[in-house]
Amino acid sequence: MSAPQSPVDWGDTPDPHAIRPRRLDGWTVLRVLVCAFGLVSLAYWGYIAWPFPVPGILFMIGAPVFAAVVWYLFRSPRSPIETDIVGKTIVEVALVIAAGAAWISIGHPVVGIVFIVVAALSGVVQFRKETR
């Protein structure tokens, strides 16, 4: 009597040791920090710019959640909606401008401008990586 055989052809499965982990470099770390600071900026703007409790809490939670959902839908590497590089760039620029404008609107223009410049630099480097 022979043993049951698997329906999977093991010759076609990739070698788990051949899969390379993603490389973590300084630009990736900067990119994560820029995204996190942008979300925190929108939450802080909701806290400072709107009266507490009702509209303040809504904007403090809603603005960063909305930005994160838009980023996930249109800009994320695992986005469920196929978007070309121009669409991704437009979404990213809009989100960066929104976070920078949040700082400018609450009276900290230097923080807003520095954030926009650093985010733009990070975005250009990411764009170059994606279009190689």
Side-chain angles (χ1 to χ4, degrees), residues 75-87:
R75 182 64 186 98
S76 166
R78 295 187 180 118
S79 148
I81 300 173
E82 271 307 307
T83 310
D84 65 343
I85 195 67
V86 174

Side-chain angles (χ1 to χ4, degrees), residues 15 19 44 74 82 85 96 131:
D15 180 21
I19 298 172
Y44 184 67
F74 298 104
E82 271 307 307
I85 195 67
V96 166
T131 56

Side-chain angles (χ1 to χ4, degrees), residues 16-38:
H17 302 289
I19 298 172
R20 298 168 126 182
R22 289 183 64 178
R23 209 177 80 205
L24 186 66
D25 59 351
W27 290 110
T28 304
V29 172
L30 177 66
R31 187 113 174 115
V32 168
L33 291 174
V34 163
C35 290
F37 187 77

Side-chain angles (χ1 to χ4, degrees), residues 58 63 70 78-79 105 119 128:
L58 289 176
V70 167
R78 295 187 180 118
S79 148
S105 74
R128 299 277 301 180

Side-chain angles (χ1 to χ4, degrees), residues 37-59:
F37 187 77
L39 293 175
V40 170
S41 298
L42 292 171
Y44 184 67
W45 168 78
Y47 177 73
I48 295 295
W50 295 91
F52 204 72
V54 176
I57 291 175
L58 289 176
F59 279 98

